[in-house]
Amino acid sequence: TVLSNIDRVMSACDSWMTYNAALGQWSVVINKAEGVAYEFNDNNIIGDIRVSATDITSSINQVEARFPFKENRDQAAFVNIETPNNLLYPNEPVNKYSITYDLVNESVQASYLANRLLEQAREDLIVSFSTTYYGIQVDAGNVVSVTNSAYGWENKLFRVMKVNEASLPDGSLGAKIELTEYNAQVYDDKDITQFTPAPNSNIPSVNYFS
């Protein structure tokens, strides 16, 4: 289907689709480092702040990325990476995540994508709250700061995952926002060398023997 093809394209370039209610259209959100677009604090947060974290048993700490390798006639190849032991929680079980990148044909891009998945999984805080009409202008993908003394947050950064219009207790129109913890270091790409397969033989040509 068209949607499944778009999902494959988005997966290959570390992006996702979201519906922009303000424009009445679908739009692409690029998963990249961003500056702070909006600020939230006690002046524009209404009601309670709901906080949750990803269950340790479902937090991934290994990634197996499969892709058709261009240097081997598009045969399946794999990139395997795992979280270093010093970053694991005590008694954290092995939780391997397997993904296929149909439109990635080199190990460098597959490594970038898999590494971002793994690093983002360490940032497991999920936050939601209602806000004034100020929040309607926020778009999914924006990076925002949240200040709240009860949680000890001083301009703590989050990425917006979802924005919905919501009716506030006083009858006015506001927004309900869902956020996930943001860390710019997730996007610090390191140098990755393209993997080159070893030759299967020393025959100069596949068409003849010398």
Side-chain angles (χ1 to χ4, degrees), residues 56-78:
I56 190 175
T57 60
S58 60
S59 179
I60 65 173
N61 46 39
Q62 294 184 7
V63 175
E64 178 187 76
R66 172 179 171 147
F67 62 99
F69 190 27
K70 65 181 180 181
E71 299 294 339
N72 193 21
R73 297 186 177 184
D74 289 337
Q75 296 299 306
F78 297 86

Side-chain angles (χ1 to χ4, degrees), residues 142-173:
N142 285 157
V143 172
V144 302
S145 67
V146 179
T147 298
N148 182 269
S149 57
Y151 286 102
W153 296 339
E154 181 67 32
N155 294 322
K156 183 170 177 57
L157 301 183
F158 294 89
R159 186 182 290 279
V160 179
M161 302 306 294
K162 186 186 296 185
V163 181
N164 291 323
E165 289 187 355
S167 179
L168 301 178
D170 62 359
S172 62
L173 185 64

Side-chain angles (χ1 to χ4, degrees), residues 131-146:
T131 178
T132 63
Y133 197 75
Y134 170 80
I136 293 293
Q137 58 192 324
V138 178
D139 293 326
N142 285 157
V143 172
V144 302
S145 67
V146 179

Side-chain angles (χ1 to χ4, degrees), residues 1-205:
T1 62
V2 172
L3 185 58
S4 64
N5 284 337
I6 292 175
D7 285 341
R8 288 186 175 94
V9 174
M10 295 296 99
S11 176
C13 55
D14 198 17
S15 303
W16 74 89
M17 294 288 293
T18 184
Y19 185 75
N20 189 316
L23 299 176
Q25 296 177 332
W26 289 90
S27 59
V28 176
V29 177
I30 301 174
N31 188 24
K32 60 184 179 67
E34 300 276 4
V36 176
Y38 299 94
E39 299 178 356
F40 291 94
N41 50 48
D42 292 340
N43 294 326
N44 49 31
I45 295 176
I46 298 176
D48 57 338
I49 299 176
R50 299 190 176 186
V51 178
S52 62
T54 306
D55 186 3
I56 190 175
T57 60
S58 60
S59 179
I60 65 173
N61 46 39
Q62 294 184 7
V63 175
E64 178 187 76
R66 172 179 171 147
F67 62 99
F69 190 27
K70 65 181 180 181
E71 299 294 339
N72 193 21
R73 297 186 177 184
D74 289 337
Q75 296 299 306
F78 297 86
V79 168
N80 292 278
I81 57 176
E82 59 184 47
T83 302
N85 290 330
N86 64 317
L87 294 180
L88 296 176
Y89 297 112
N91 302 317
E92 180 176 347
V94 173
N95 192 1
K96 183 177 181 179
Y97 179 73
S98 297
I99 186 170
T100 298
Y101 294 114
D102 294 319
L103 302 182
V104 172
N105 64 358
E106 57 162 10
S107 61
V108 173
Q109 180 73 357
S111 297
Y112 278 139
L113 295 171
N115 190 64
R116 286 190 179 185
L117 273 176
L118 199 62
E119 290 191 6
Q120 184 61 53
R122 294 289 98 185
E123 307 294 342
D124 59 355
L125 197 62
I126 301 170
V127 173
S128 64
F129 55 77
S130 296
T131 178
T132 63
Y133 197 75
Y134 170 80
I136 293 293
Q137 58 192 324
V138 178
D139 293 326
N142 285 157
V143 172
V144 302
S145 67
V146 179
T147 298
N148 182 269
S149 57
Y151 286 102
W153 296 339
E154 181 67 32
N155 294 322
K156 183 170 177 57
L157 301 183
F158 294 89
R159 186 182 290 279
V160 179
M161 302 306 294
K162 186 186 296 185
V163 181
N164 291 323
E165 289 187 355
S167 179
L168 301 178
D170 62 359
S172 62
L173 185 64
K176 183 174 179 61
I177 298 181
E178 294 184 17
L179 312 170
T180 184
E181 196 170 12
Y182 172 83
N183 188 338
Q185 293 183 10
V186 170
Y187 308 99
D188 290 342
D189 293 330
K190 306 299 182 184
D191 292 335
I192 301 176
T193 301
Q194 173 67 49
F195 169 76
T196 302
N200 292 330
S201 72
N202 291 321
I203 298 176
S205 171

